[in-house]
Amino acid sequence: MGKHSLQRESRLSNSVKGALVLGAAAATTGAMPAINATAATINIPGIGGIDVPVPQEFDAPVQELNKQLEQALSAAPAIPPASLGTLPQVPQGGLFGNVQEHQTPAVKALDAARSKVGAQYSWGAAGPARFDCSGLVQWAYRQAGIELPRTSFEQSHVGAPVAFQNLQPGDIVITNGGGHVGIYAGDGKLLNAVQSGTPVSYTTLSPDDVVTARRVS
Protein backbone atom coordinates (compact mmCIF):
# COMPACT_ATOMS: atom_id res chain seq x y z
CA MET A 1 0.00 0.00 0.00
CA GLY A 2 2.83 2.37 0.93
CA LYS A 3 4.71 1.50 -2.26
CA HIS A 4 1.73 2.29 -4.50
CA SER A 5 1.18 5.59 -2.68
CA LEU A 6 4.75 6.61 -3.29
CA GLN A 7 4.44 5.72 -6.96
CA ARG A 8 1.27 7.78 -7.35
CA GLU A 9 2.91 10.73 -5.60
CA SER A 10 5.87 10.55 -7.92
CA ARG A 11 3.59 10.97 -10.92
CA LEU A 12 2.53 14.49 -9.76
CA SER A 13 3.69 17.33 -12.02
CA ASN A 14 6.05 20.00 -10.82
CA SER A 15 3.27 22.67 -10.97
CA VAL A 16 1.05 20.63 -8.71
CA LYS A 17 3.96 20.02 -6.36
CA GLY A 18 4.54 23.79 -6.32
CA ALA A 19 0.91 24.39 -5.45
CA LEU A 20 1.15 21.88 -2.61
CA VAL A 21 4.21 23.68 -1.31
CA LEU A 22 2.41 27.06 -1.46
CA GLY A 23 -0.60 25.55 0.28
CA ALA A 24 1.59 24.14 3.00
CA ALA A 25 3.26 27.52 3.45
CA ALA A 26 -0.09 29.27 3.66
CA ALA A 27 -1.37 26.76 6.19
CA THR A 28 1.74 27.22 8.29
CA THR A 29 2.14 31.06 8.16
CA GLY A 30 -1.42 32.17 7.38
CA ALA A 31 -0.32 34.20 4.30
CA MET A 32 0.57 33.60 0.68
CA PRO A 33 4.19 34.24 -0.35
CA ALA A 34 4.66 37.64 -2.08
CA ILE A 35 5.01 37.82 -5.88
CA ASN A 36 7.92 39.97 -7.01
CA ALA A 37 6.75 43.19 -8.74
CA THR A 38 8.35 46.50 -9.72
CA ALA A 39 6.93 49.99 -10.23
CA ALA A 40 6.94 50.89 -13.92
CA THR A 41 6.59 54.54 -14.99
CA ILE A 42 4.16 55.27 -17.83
CA ASN A 43 4.67 58.73 -19.39
CA ILE A 44 1.35 60.31 -20.47
CA PRO A 45 1.70 63.52 -22.57
CA GLY A 46 0.12 66.48 -20.85
CA ILE A 47 -0.12 64.67 -17.53
CA GLY A 48 3.31 63.33 -16.71
CA GLY A 49 4.70 60.07 -15.41
CA ILE A 50 2.55 57.68 -13.43
CA ASP A 51 4.14 54.89 -11.40
CA VAL A 52 2.18 51.67 -11.78
CA PRO A 53 3.14 48.49 -9.85
CA VAL A 54 3.43 45.66 -12.38
CA PRO A 55 4.99 42.18 -12.30
CA GLN A 56 8.48 41.99 -13.66
CA GLU A 57 7.39 40.20 -16.81
CA PHE A 58 5.51 43.36 -17.91
CA ASP A 59 8.45 45.69 -17.40
CA ALA A 60 9.71 45.27 -20.97
CA PRO A 61 6.31 46.04 -22.62
CA VAL A 62 5.99 49.19 -20.50
CA GLN A 63 9.41 50.38 -21.60
CA GLU A 64 8.44 49.71 -25.22
CA LEU A 65 5.21 51.73 -24.78
CA ASN A 66 7.16 54.72 -23.42
CA LYS A 67 9.57 54.47 -26.34
CA GLN A 68 6.70 54.53 -28.86
CA LEU A 69 5.13 57.56 -27.16
CA GLU A 70 8.43 59.46 -27.30
CA GLN A 71 8.86 58.60 -30.98
CA ALA A 72 5.31 59.75 -31.81
CA LEU A 73 5.80 63.08 -30.03
CA SER A 74 9.20 63.72 -31.64
CA ALA A 75 7.75 62.99 -35.08
CA ALA A 76 4.93 65.56 -34.66
CA PRO A 77 5.68 68.77 -36.63
CA ALA A 78 6.55 71.77 -34.48
CA ILE A 79 4.32 74.85 -34.80
CA PRO A 80 6.45 77.89 -35.68
CA PRO A 81 5.79 80.90 -33.43
CA ALA A 82 5.17 83.12 -36.45
CA SER A 83 2.13 81.06 -37.46
CA LEU A 84 0.45 81.87 -34.15
CA GLY A 85 0.33 85.56 -35.04
CA THR A 86 0.37 88.33 -32.49
CA LEU A 87 -2.23 89.07 -29.86
CA PRO A 88 -4.16 92.34 -30.32
CA GLN A 89 -3.04 95.14 -28.07
CA VAL A 90 -5.56 96.23 -25.44
CA PRO A 91 -6.07 99.99 -25.79
CA GLN A 92 -5.07 102.21 -22.92
CA GLY A 93 -7.96 102.48 -20.50
CA GLY A 94 -9.22 98.95 -21.25
CA LEU A 95 -11.57 97.60 -23.88
CA PHE A 96 -14.38 99.95 -22.88
CA GLY A 97 -12.42 102.85 -21.50
CA ASN A 98 -12.78 104.99 -24.65
CA VAL A 99 -16.39 104.20 -25.57
CA GLN A 100 -17.49 107.75 -24.86
CA GLU A 101 -14.87 109.10 -27.29
CA HIS A 102 -16.54 107.20 -30.14
CA GLN A 103 -20.10 108.39 -29.42
CA THR A 104 -21.78 110.40 -32.12
CA PRO A 105 -22.40 114.11 -31.48
CA ALA A 106 -26.14 113.39 -31.35
CA VAL A 107 -25.72 110.84 -28.55
CA LYS A 108 -23.41 113.22 -26.66
CA ALA A 109 -25.99 115.98 -27.01
CA LEU A 110 -28.73 113.68 -25.70
CA ASP A 111 -26.57 112.76 -22.71
CA ALA A 112 -26.02 116.45 -21.99
CA ALA A 113 -29.75 117.18 -22.22
CA ARG A 114 -30.50 114.29 -19.85
CA SER A 115 -28.33 115.95 -17.23
CA LYS A 116 -30.80 118.86 -17.27
CA VAL A 117 -33.97 116.88 -16.59
CA GLY A 118 -35.84 118.82 -13.91
CA ALA A 119 -34.35 122.22 -14.88
CA GLN A 120 -36.91 125.04 -15.00
CA TYR A 121 -38.38 126.45 -18.19
CA SER A 122 -37.75 130.07 -18.94
CA TRP A 123 -38.60 131.74 -22.25
CA GLY A 124 -35.47 132.97 -24.03
CA ALA A 125 -33.11 131.06 -21.70
CA ALA A 126 -30.35 128.87 -23.08
CA GLY A 127 -28.81 127.43 -19.91
CA PRO A 128 -27.04 126.37 -18.00
CA ALA A 129 -29.74 126.48 -15.27
CA ARG A 130 -32.90 127.45 -17.20
CA PHE A 131 -34.00 126.76 -20.75
CA ASP A 132 -36.63 127.26 -23.36
CA CYS A 133 -37.12 124.53 -25.97
CA SER A 134 -34.61 125.66 -28.59
CA GLY A 135 -32.23 126.91 -25.89
CA LEU A 136 -32.01 123.38 -24.45
CA VAL A 137 -31.29 121.87 -27.88
CA GLN A 138 -28.68 124.50 -28.66
CA TRP A 139 -26.97 124.10 -25.26
CA ALA A 140 -26.95 120.28 -25.48
CA TYR A 141 -25.38 120.22 -28.95
CA ARG A 142 -22.83 122.80 -27.87
CA GLN A 143 -21.63 120.29 -25.24
CA ALA A 144 -21.07 117.86 -28.14
CA GLY A 145 -18.99 120.40 -30.04
CA ILE A 146 -21.67 121.50 -32.52
CA GLU A 147 -23.02 125.04 -32.70
CA LEU A 148 -26.69 125.25 -33.73
CA PRO A 149 -28.78 128.33 -34.52
CA ARG A 150 -30.91 129.69 -31.72
CA THR A 151 -34.57 129.31 -32.73
CA SER A 152 -36.66 126.22 -33.43
CA PHE A 153 -37.41 127.49 -36.95
CA GLU A 154 -33.70 127.78 -37.75
CA GLN A 155 -33.00 124.43 -36.16
CA SER A 156 -35.61 122.81 -38.42
CA HIS A 157 -33.23 123.35 -41.36
CA VAL A 158 -29.98 121.96 -39.96
CA GLY A 159 -28.56 118.57 -40.82
CA ALA A 160 -30.45 116.01 -42.92
CA PRO A 161 -34.17 115.13 -42.77
CA VAL A 162 -35.14 111.87 -41.04
CA ALA A 163 -38.41 109.94 -41.36
CA PHE A 164 -40.29 109.24 -38.12
CA GLN A 165 -39.76 105.46 -38.39
CA ASN A 166 -36.00 106.02 -38.74
CA LEU A 167 -35.53 108.27 -35.73
CA GLN A 168 -32.49 107.60 -33.58
CA PRO A 169 -31.64 108.90 -30.09
CA GLY A 170 -30.18 112.39 -30.41
CA ASP A 171 -32.11 113.43 -33.52
CA ILE A 172 -33.69 116.91 -33.42
CA VAL A 173 -37.48 116.85 -33.66
CA ILE A 174 -39.62 119.88 -34.57
CA THR A 175 -43.25 119.84 -33.42
CA ASN A 176 -46.19 122.22 -32.83
CA GLY A 177 -46.23 123.59 -36.35
CA GLY A 178 -42.55 124.43 -36.19
CA GLY A 179 -42.77 126.40 -32.93
CA HIS A 180 -41.33 123.72 -30.62
CA VAL A 181 -38.23 121.54 -30.66
CA GLY A 182 -36.78 118.73 -28.61
CA ILE A 183 -34.28 115.87 -28.76
CA TYR A 184 -35.47 112.34 -29.54
CA ALA A 185 -34.65 110.08 -26.58
CA GLY A 186 -35.73 106.73 -28.04
CA ASP A 187 -38.75 104.53 -27.25
CA GLY A 188 -41.17 107.15 -28.61
CA LYS A 189 -40.05 109.82 -26.12
CA LEU A 190 -39.03 113.43 -26.68
CA LEU A 191 -36.70 115.15 -24.21
CA ASN A 192 -37.62 118.83 -24.17
CA ALA A 193 -38.14 122.04 -22.26
CA VAL A 194 -41.90 121.87 -22.51
CA GLN A 195 -43.43 125.17 -21.39
CA SER A 196 -43.58 127.66 -18.55
CA GLY A 197 -44.30 125.88 -15.27
CA THR A 198 -43.12 122.52 -16.58
CA PRO A 199 -39.46 121.51 -16.07
CA VAL A 200 -37.29 119.79 -18.66
CA SER A 201 -38.77 116.31 -19.05
CA TYR A 202 -39.73 113.44 -21.36
CA THR A 203 -42.99 113.57 -23.29
CA THR A 204 -44.63 111.06 -25.61
CA LEU A 205 -44.01 111.58 -29.33
CA SER A 206 -46.35 110.42 -32.10
CA PRO A 207 -45.98 110.72 -35.90
CA ASP A 208 -48.76 113.32 -36.04
CA ASP A 209 -46.78 115.61 -33.75
CA VAL A 210 -43.74 115.80 -36.02
CA VAL A 211 -43.26 118.64 -38.48
CA THR A 212 -39.75 117.56 -39.37
CA ALA A 213 -36.87 115.68 -37.83
CA ARG A 214 -33.21 116.42 -38.47
CA ARG A 215 -30.01 114.45 -37.96
CA VAL A 216 -26.81 116.33 -37.26
CA SER A 217 -23.50 114.44 -37.58
Short mmCIF file of all heavy atoms in Angstrom, two decimals, residues 145-203:
data_model
loop_
_atom_site.label_atom_id
_atom_site.label_comp_id
_atom_site.label_asym_id
_atom_site.label_seq_id
_atom_site.Cartn_x
_atom_site.Cartn_y
_atom_site.Cartn_z
N GLY A 145 -19.92 119.76 -29.11
CA GLY A 145 -18.99 120.40 -30.04
C GLY A 145 -19.65 120.93 -31.30
O GLY A 145 -18.94 121.26 -32.26
N ILE A 146 -20.97 121.01 -31.33
CA ILE A 146 -21.67 121.50 -32.52
C ILE A 146 -22.48 122.73 -32.15
O ILE A 146 -23.26 122.72 -31.18
CB ILE A 146 -22.60 120.41 -33.10
CG1 ILE A 146 -21.76 119.23 -33.62
CG2 ILE A 146 -23.48 120.97 -34.20
CD1 ILE A 146 -22.56 118.10 -34.21
N GLU A 147 -22.31 123.78 -32.94
CA GLU A 147 -23.02 125.04 -32.70
C GLU A 147 -24.25 125.11 -33.61
O GLU A 147 -24.14 125.07 -34.83
CB GLU A 147 -22.10 126.23 -32.96
CG GLU A 147 -22.63 127.54 -32.45
CD GLU A 147 -22.72 127.58 -30.93
OE1 GLU A 147 -21.83 127.01 -30.27
OE2 GLU A 147 -23.68 128.18 -30.41
N LEU A 148 -25.43 125.18 -32.98
CA LEU A 148 -26.69 125.25 -33.73
C LEU A 148 -27.25 126.68 -33.66
O LEU A 148 -26.93 127.44 -32.73
CB LEU A 148 -27.72 124.29 -33.13
CG LEU A 148 -27.42 122.79 -33.22
CD1 LEU A 148 -28.57 122.00 -32.58
CD2 LEU A 148 -27.21 122.34 -34.65
N PRO A 149 -28.10 127.03 -34.61
CA PRO A 149 -28.78 128.33 -34.52
C PRO A 149 -29.72 128.36 -33.31
O PRO A 149 -30.01 127.32 -32.72
CB PRO A 149 -29.54 128.44 -35.84
CG PRO A 149 -29.65 127.04 -36.35
CD PRO A 149 -28.45 126.31 -35.84
N ARG A 150 -30.22 129.51 -32.99
CA ARG A 150 -30.91 129.69 -31.72
C ARG A 150 -32.38 129.28 -31.73
O ARG A 150 -32.87 128.70 -30.75
CB ARG A 150 -30.79 131.18 -31.29
CG ARG A 150 -31.53 131.55 -30.02
CD ARG A 150 -30.93 130.82 -28.82
NE ARG A 150 -31.62 131.14 -27.56
CZ ARG A 150 -32.72 130.54 -27.15
NH1 ARG A 150 -33.26 129.56 -27.87
NH2 ARG A 150 -33.29 130.88 -26.01
N THR A 151 -33.12 129.52 -32.76
CA THR A 151 -34.57 129.31 -32.73
C THR A 151 -34.96 127.96 -33.30
O THR A 151 -34.22 127.34 -34.07
CB THR A 151 -35.30 130.42 -33.51
OG1 THR A 151 -35.00 130.28 -34.91
CG2 THR A 151 -34.87 131.81 -33.04
N SER A 152 -36.17 127.51 -32.93
CA SER A 152 -36.66 126.22 -33.43
C SER A 152 -36.85 126.26 -34.95
O SER A 152 -36.63 125.24 -35.63
CB SER A 152 -37.98 125.86 -32.75
OG SER A 152 -38.96 126.86 -32.99
N PHE A 153 -37.24 127.40 -35.50
CA PHE A 153 -37.41 127.49 -36.95
C PHE A 153 -36.07 127.30 -37.65
O PHE A 153 -35.97 126.56 -38.63
CB PHE A 153 -38.01 128.86 -37.33
CG PHE A 153 -38.10 129.07 -38.81
CD1 PHE A 153 -39.13 128.50 -39.55
CD2 PHE A 153 -37.14 129.84 -39.49
CE1 PHE A 153 -39.20 128.70 -40.93
CE2 PHE A 153 -37.22 130.03 -40.85
CZ PHE A 153 -38.26 129.45 -41.58
N GLU A 154 -35.03 127.93 -37.15
CA GLU A 154 -33.70 127.78 -37.75
C GLU A 154 -33.18 126.35 -37.57
O GLU A 154 -32.55 125.79 -38.49
CB GLU A 154 -32.73 128.78 -37.12
CG GLU A 154 -33.02 130.23 -37.45
CD GLU A 154 -32.17 131.18 -36.65
OE1 GLU A 154 -32.04 130.97 -35.42
OE2 GLU A 154 -31.62 132.14 -37.26
N GLN A 155 -33.47 125.80 -36.43
CA GLN A 155 -33.00 124.43 -36.16
C GLN A 155 -33.71 123.40 -37.04
O GLN A 155 -33.20 122.30 -37.26
CB GLN A 155 -33.20 124.10 -34.68
CG GLN A 155 -32.26 124.87 -33.76
CD GLN A 155 -32.56 124.68 -32.29
OE1 GLN A 155 -33.45 123.92 -31.92
NE2 GLN A 155 -31.84 125.39 -31.43
N SER A 156 -34.87 123.74 -37.55
CA SER A 156 -35.61 122.81 -38.42
C SER A 156 -34.96 122.66 -39.79
O SER A 156 -35.41 121.82 -40.60
CB SER A 156 -37.05 123.29 -38.60
OG SER A 156 -37.11 124.50 -39.36
N HIS A 157 -33.89 123.42 -40.06
CA HIS A 157 -33.23 123.35 -41.36
C HIS A 157 -31.80 122.82 -41.27
O HIS A 157 -31.10 122.77 -42.29
CB HIS A 157 -33.22 124.75 -42.02
CG HIS A 157 -34.58 125.24 -42.39
ND1 HIS A 157 -35.40 125.91 -41.50
CD2 HIS A 157 -35.28 125.16 -43.55
CE1 HIS A 157 -36.53 126.23 -42.09
NE2 HIS A 157 -36.48 125.79 -43.35
N VAL A 158 -31.36 122.45 -40.09
CA VAL A 158 -29.98 121.96 -39.96
C VAL A 158 -29.95 120.46 -40.28
O VAL A 158 -30.96 119.76 -40.22
CB VAL A 158 -29.43 122.20 -38.54
CG1 VAL A 158 -29.42 123.70 -38.23
CG2 VAL A 158 -30.23 121.44 -37.50
N GLY A 159 -28.75 120.01 -40.61
CA GLY A 159 -28.56 118.57 -40.82
C GLY A 159 -29.37 118.01 -41.98
O GLY A 159 -29.68 118.70 -42.95
N ALA A 160 -29.72 116.71 -41.86
CA ALA A 160 -30.45 116.01 -42.92
C ALA A 160 -31.81 115.54 -42.38
O ALA A 160 -31.93 115.19 -41.20
CB ALA A 160 -29.65 114.81 -43.40
N PRO A 161 -32.84 115.56 -43.24
CA PRO A 161 -34.17 115.13 -42.77
C PRO A 161 -34.20 113.63 -42.45
O PRO A 161 -33.50 112.83 -43.07
CB PRO A 161 -35.07 115.46 -43.95
CG PRO A 161 -34.17 115.47 -45.14
CD PRO A 161 -32.85 115.95 -44.65
N VAL A 162 -35.01 113.26 -41.48
CA VAL A 162 -35.14 111.87 -41.04
C VAL A 162 -36.62 111.53 -40.92
O VAL A 162 -37.39 112.30 -40.32
CB VAL A 162 -34.45 111.63 -39.68
CG1 VAL A 162 -34.54 110.16 -39.29
CG2 VAL A 162 -33.00 112.09 -39.71
N ALA A 163 -37.03 110.39 -41.50
CA ALA A 163 -38.41 109.94 -41.36
C ALA A 163 -38.67 109.49 -39.93
O ALA A 163 -37.76 109.04 -39.23
CB ALA A 163 -38.69 108.79 -42.33
N PHE A 164 -39.94 109.58 -39.50
CA PHE A 164 -40.29 109.24 -38.12
C PHE A 164 -39.86 107.81 -37.77
O PHE A 164 -39.33 107.57 -36.68
CB PHE A 164 -41.80 109.40 -37.91
CG PHE A 164 -42.25 109.07 -36.52
CD1 PHE A 164 -42.17 110.02 -35.52
CD2 PHE A 164 -42.75 107.81 -36.21
CE1 PHE A 164 -42.57 109.71 -34.21
CE2 PHE A 164 -43.15 107.51 -34.93
CZ PHE A 164 -43.06 108.47 -33.92
N GLN A 165 -40.08 106.87 -38.67
CA GLN A 165 -39.76 105.46 -38.39
C GLN A 165 -38.26 105.21 -38.32
O GLN A 165 -37.82 104.15 -37.85
CB GLN A 165 -40.40 104.53 -39.41
CG GLN A 165 -39.91 104.70 -40.84
CD GLN A 165 -40.72 105.71 -41.63
OE1 GLN A 165 -41.38 106.58 -41.05
NE2 GLN A 165 -40.70 105.60 -42.96
N ASN A 166 -37.46 106.18 -38.77
CA ASN A 166 -36.00 106.02 -38.74
C ASN A 166 -35.33 106.86 -37.67
O ASN A 166 -34.10 106.97 -37.64
CB ASN A 166 -35.41 106.38 -40.11
CG ASN A 166 -35.87 105.43 -41.21
OD1 ASN A 166 -36.07 104.24 -40.96
ND2 ASN A 166 -36.06 105.96 -42.40
N LEU A 167 -36.11 107.43 -36.76
CA LEU A 167 -35.53 108.27 -35.73
C LEU A 167 -34.56 107.49 -34.85
O LEU A 167 -34.79 106.32 -34.53
CB LEU A 167 -36.64 108.85 -34.84
CG LEU A 167 -37.42 110.04 -35.41
CD1 LEU A 167 -38.58 110.40 -34.48
CD2 LEU A 167 -36.50 111.24 -35.62
N GLN A 168 -33.49 108.17 -34.49
CA GLN A 168 -32.49 107.60 -33.58
C GLN A 168 -32.28 108.56 -32.41
O GLN A 168 -32.47 109.77 -32.55
CB GLN A 168 -31.17 107.37 -34.29
CG GLN A 168 -31.22 106.31 -35.39
CD GLN A 168 -29.88 106.12 -36.08
OE1 GLN A 168 -28.88 106.74 -35.70
NE2 GLN A 168 -29.85 105.26 -37.08
N PRO A 169 -31.90 108.02 -31.23
CA PRO A 169 -31.64 108.90 -30.09
C PRO A 169 -30.66 110.00 -30.45
O PRO A 169 -29.60 109.75 -31.02
CB PRO A 169 -31.08 107.96 -29.03
CG PRO A 169 -31.71 106.63 -29.36
CD PRO A 169 -31.76 106.59 -30.86
N GLY A 170 -31.02 111.24 -30.11
CA GLY A 170 -30.18 112.39 -30.41
C GLY A 170 -30.66 113.21 -31.58
O GLY A 170 -30.20 114.34 -31.77
N ASP A 171 -31.57 112.67 -32.39
CA ASP A 171 -32.11 113.43 -33.52
C ASP A 171 -32.93 114.63 -33.00
O ASP A 171 -33.57 114.56 -31.94
CB ASP A 171 -33.00 112.56 -34.40
CG ASP A 171 -32.19 111.55 -35.23
OD1 ASP A 171 -30.97 111.77 -35.40
OD2 ASP A 171 -32.78 110.56 -35.70
N ILE A 172 -32.92 115.71 -33.76
CA ILE A 172 -33.69 116.91 -33.42
C ILE A 172 -35.08 116.78 -34.02
O ILE A 172 -35.23 116.45 -35.20
CB ILE A 172 -32.99 118.17 -33.97
CG1 ILE A 172 -31.61 118.32 -33.32
CG2 ILE A 172 -33.83 119.41 -33.73
CD1 ILE A 172 -30.76 119.41 -33.94
N VAL A 173 -36.10 117.01 -33.21
CA VAL A 173 -37.48 116.85 -33.66
C VAL A 173 -38.24 118.16 -33.49
O VAL A 173 -38.28 118.73 -32.39
CB VAL A 173 -38.20 115.72 -32.89
CG1 VAL A 173 -39.63 115.55 -33.39
CG2 VAL A 173 -37.42 114.41 -33.02
N ILE A 174 -38.84 118.64 -34.56
CA ILE A 174 -39.62 119.88 -34.57
C ILE A 174 -41.10 119.52 -34.51
O ILE A 174 -41.57 118.71 -35.30
CB ILE A 174 -39.34 120.73 -35.83
CG1 ILE A 174 -37.82 120.89 -36.05
CG2 ILE A 174 -40.04 122.07 -35.74
CD1 ILE A 174 -37.11 121.65 -34.98
N THR A 175 -41.82 120.11 -33.57
CA THR A 175 -43.25 119.84 -33.42
C THR A 175 -44.02 121.17 -33.33
O THR A 175 -43.43 122.26 -33.47
CB THR A 175 -43.50 119.01 -32.14
OG1 THR A 175 -43.12 119.78 -30.99
CG2 THR A 175 -42.70 117.71 -32.16
N ASN A 176 -45.33 121.05 -33.08
CA ASN A 176 -46.19 122.22 -32.83
C ASN A 176 -46.13 123.24 -33.97
O ASN A 176 -45.96 124.44 -33.74
CB ASN A 176 -45.80 122.87 -31.50
CG ASN A 176 -46.85 123.85 -30.99
OD1 ASN A 176 -48.02 123.71 -31.30
ND2 ASN A 176 -46.41 124.84 -30.22
N GLY A 177 -46.22 122.70 -35.20
CA GLY A 177 -46.23 123.59 -36.35
C GLY A 177 -44.93 124.29 -36.61
O GLY A 177 -44.87 125.28 -37.35
N GLY A 178 -43.86 123.82 -36.01
CA GLY A 178 -42.55 124.43 -36.19
C GLY A 178 -42.16 125.32 -35.03
O GLY A 178 -41.04 125.85 -35.01
N GLY A 179 -43.05 125.49 -34.03
CA GLY A 179 -42.77 126.40 -32.93
C GLY A 179 -42.16 125.71 -31.71
O GLY A 179 -41.91 126.38 -30.70
N HIS A 180 -41.91 124.42 -31.78
CA HIS A 180 -41.33 123.72 -30.62
C HIS A 180 -40.30 122.71 -31.12
O HIS A 180 -40.42 122.16 -32.23
CB HIS A 180 -42.43 123.01 -29.82
CG HIS A 180 -41.94 122.40 -28.54
ND1 HIS A 180 -41.58 123.16 -27.45
CD2 HIS A 180 -41.75 121.11 -28.17
CE1 HIS A 180 -41.19 122.36 -26.47
NE2 HIS A 180 -41.29 121.11 -26.88
N VAL A 181 -39.29 122.46 -30.27
CA VAL A 181 -38.23 121.54 -30.66
C VAL A 181 -37.75 120.77 -29.42
O VAL A 181 -37.81 121.28 -28.30
CB VAL A 181 -37.05 122.30 -31.32
CG1 VAL A 181 -36.40 123.27 -30.34
CG2 VAL A 181 -36.01 121.33 -31.87
N GLY A 182 -37.34 119.55 -29.67
CA GLY A 182 -36.78 118.73 -28.61
C GLY A 182 -35.80 117.74 -29.19
O GLY A 182 -35.52 117.72 -30.40
N ILE A 183 -35.26 116.88 -28.34
CA ILE A 183 -34.28 115.87 -28.76
C ILE A 183 -34.90 114.50 -28.56
O ILE A 183 -35.39 114.19 -27.46
CB ILE A 183 -32.97 115.98 -27.96
CG1 ILE A 183 -32.34 117.36 -28.18
CG2 ILE A 183 -31.99 114.89 -28.37
CD1 ILE A 183 -31.08 117.60 -27.35
N TYR A 184 -34.88 113.69 -29.63
CA TYR A 184 -35.47 112.34 -29.54
C TYR A 184 -34.63 111.50 -28.58
O TYR A 184 -33.41 111.42 -28.70
CB TYR A 184 -35.54 111.69 -30.92
CG TYR A 184 -36.25 110.35 -30.89
CD1 TYR A 184 -37.61 110.27 -30.58
CD2 TYR A 184 -35.57 109.18 -31.19
CE1 TYR A 184 -38.27 109.06 -30.55
CE2 TYR A 184 -36.23 107.95 -31.17
CZ TYR A 184 -37.58 107.90 -30.85
OH TYR A 184 -38.24 106.70 -30.82
N ALA A 185 -35.34 110.85 -27.61
CA ALA A 185 -34.65 110.08 -26.58
C ALA A 185 -34.80 108.58 -26.77
O ALA A 185 -34.30 107.80 -25.96
CB ALA A 185 -35.17 110.47 -25.20
N GLY A 186 -35.50 108.15 -27.84
CA GLY A 186 -35.73 106.73 -28.04
C GLY A 186 -37.03 106.29 -27.39
O GLY A 186 -37.59 106.99 -26.53
N ASP A 187 -37.53 105.11 -27.82
CA ASP A 187 -38.75 104.53 -27.25
C ASP A 187 -39.95 105.47 -27.34
O ASP A 187 -40.79 105.52 -26.44
CB ASP A 187 -38.54 104.11 -25.79
CG ASP A 187 -37.47 103.04 -25.64
OD1 ASP A 187 -37.37 102.18 -26.54
OD2 ASP A 187 -36.72 103.07 -24.64
N GLY A 188 -40.01 106.27 -28.41
CA GLY A 188 -41.17 107.15 -28.61
C GLY A 188 -41.23 108.31 -27.64
O GLY A 188 -42.33 108.85 -27.40
N LYS A 189 -40.09 108.73 -27.09
CA LYS A 189 -40.05 109.82 -26.12
C LYS A 189 -39.24 110.99 -26.65
O LYS A 189 -38.24 110.82 -27.33
CB LYS A 189 -39.44 109.35 -24.80
CG LYS A 189 -40.20 108.21 -24.12
CD LYS A 189 -41.58 108.65 -23.65
CE LYS A 189 -42.31 107.54 -22.91
NZ LYS A 189 -43.65 107.95 -22.46
N LEU A 190 -39.73 112.20 -26.32
CA LEU A 190 -39.03 113.43 -26.68
C LEU A 190 -38.55 114.10 -25.40
O LEU A 190 -39.33 114.32 -24.47
CB LEU A 190 -39.96 114.37 -27.44
CG LEU A 190 -39.33 115.64 -28.03
CD1 LEU A 190 -38.39 115.27 -29.19
CD2 LEU A 190 -40.42 116.60 -28.52
N LEU A 191 -37.27 114.42 -25.35
CA LEU A 191 -36.70 115.15 -24.21
C LEU A 191 -36.72 116.63 -24.57
O LEU A 191 -36.07 117.04 -25.54
CB LEU A 191 -35.29 114.66 -23.92
CG LEU A 191 -34.54 115.34 -22.77
CD1 LEU A 191 -35.34 115.31 -21.48
CD2 LEU A 191 -33.17 114.70 -22.57
N ASN A 192 -37.45 117.43 -23.78
CA ASN A 192 -37.62 118.83 -24.17
C ASN A 192 -37.96 119.73 -22.98
O ASN A 192 -38.42 119.26 -21.94
CB ASN A 192 -38.70 118.96 -25.23
CG ASN A 192 -40.03 118.35 -24.83
OD1 ASN A 192 -41.09 118.87 -25.17
ND2 ASN A 192 -40.04 117.27 -24.10
N ALA A 193 -37.67 121.01 -23.19
CA ALA A 193 -38.14 122.04 -22.26
C ALA A 193 -39.56 122.40 -22.71
O ALA A 193 -39.74 123.08 -23.73
CB ALA A 193 -37.21 123.25 -22.28
N VAL A 194 -40.54 121.90 -21.99
CA VAL A 194 -41.90 121.87 -22.51
C VAL A 194 -42.53 123.26 -22.58
O VAL A 194 -42.82 123.78 -23.66
CB VAL A 194 -42.78 120.94 -21.65
CG1 VAL A 194 -44.16 120.81 -22.26
CG2 VAL A 194 -42.12 119.57 -21.52
N GLN A 195 -42.76 123.87 -21.45
CA GLN A 195 -43.43 125.17 -21.39
C GLN A 195 -43.27 125.77 -20.00
O GLN A 195 -42.77 125.11 -19.09
CB GLN A 195 -44.93 125.02 -21.70
CG GLN A 195 -45.65 124.11 -20.73
CD GLN A 195 -47.09 123.85 -21.10
OE1 GLN A 195 -47.53 124.23 -22.18
NE2 GLN A 195 -47.83 123.22 -20.23
N SER A 196 -43.70 127.00 -19.84
CA SER A 196 -43.58 127.66 -18.55
C SER A 196 -44.34 126.87 -17.48
O SER A 196 -45.48 126.46 -17.69
CB SER A 196 -44.16 129.09 -18.64
OG SER A 196 -44.06 129.75 -17.40
N GLY A 197 -43.70 126.64 -16.35
CA GLY A 197 -44.30 125.88 -15.27
C GLY A 197 -44.01 124.40 -15.33
O GLY A 197 -44.33 123.67 -14.39
N THR A 198 -43.46 123.94 -16.43
CA THR A 198 -43.12 122.52 -16.58
C THR A 198 -41.61 122.39 -16.77
O THR A 198 -41.06 122.98 -17.71
CB THR A 198 -43.84 121.88 -17.78
OG1 THR A 198 -45.25 122.07 -17.63
CG2 THR A 198 -43.54 120.39 -17.87
N PRO A 199 -40.92 121.63 -15.93
CA PRO A 199 -39.46 121.51 -16.07
C PRO A 199 -39.08 120.65 -17.28
O PRO A 199 -39.93 120.00 -17.90
CB PRO A 199 -39.04 120.84 -14.76
CG PRO A 199 -40.24 120.05 -14.35
CD PRO A 199 -41.43 120.86 -14.79
N VAL A 200 -37.82 120.66 -17.60
CA VAL A 200 -37.29 119.79 -18.66
C VAL A 200 -37.65 118.35 -18.34
O VAL A 200 -37.38 117.86 -17.24
CB VAL A 200 -35.77 119.95 -18.79
CG1 VAL A 200 -35.21 118.95 -19.80
CG2 VAL A 200 -35.41 121.38 -19.20
N SER A 201 -38.27 117.66 -19.32
CA SER A 201 -38.77 116.31 -19.05
C SER A 201 -38.99 115.56 -20.36
O SER A 201 -38.81 116.11 -21.46
CB SER A 201 -40.08 116.37 -18.25
OG SER A 201 -41.05 117.15 -18.95
N TYR A 202 -39.41 114.29 -20.21
CA TYR A 202 -39.73 113.44 -21.36
C TYR A 202 -41.22 113.50 -21.62
O TYR A 202 -42.04 113.41 -20.70
CB TYR A 202 -39.33 111.99 -21.10
CG TYR A 202 -37.85 111.78 -20.86
CD1 TYR A 202 -37.33 111.78 -19.57
CD2 TYR A 202 -36.98 111.56 -21.93
CE1 TYR A 202 -35.98 111.57 -19.34
CE2 TYR A 202 -35.63 111.34 -21.71
CZ TYR A 202 -35.13 111.36 -20.40
OH TYR A 202 -33.80 111.15 -20.18
N THR A 203 -41.58 113.63 -22.90
CA THR A 203 -42.99 113.57 -23.29
C THR A 203 -43.15 112.56 -24.42
O THR A 203 -42.19 112.24 -25.13
CB THR A 203 -43.50 114.95 -23.76
OG1 THR A 203 -42.67 115.43 -24.84
CG2 THR A 203 -43.47 115.96 -22.61
#
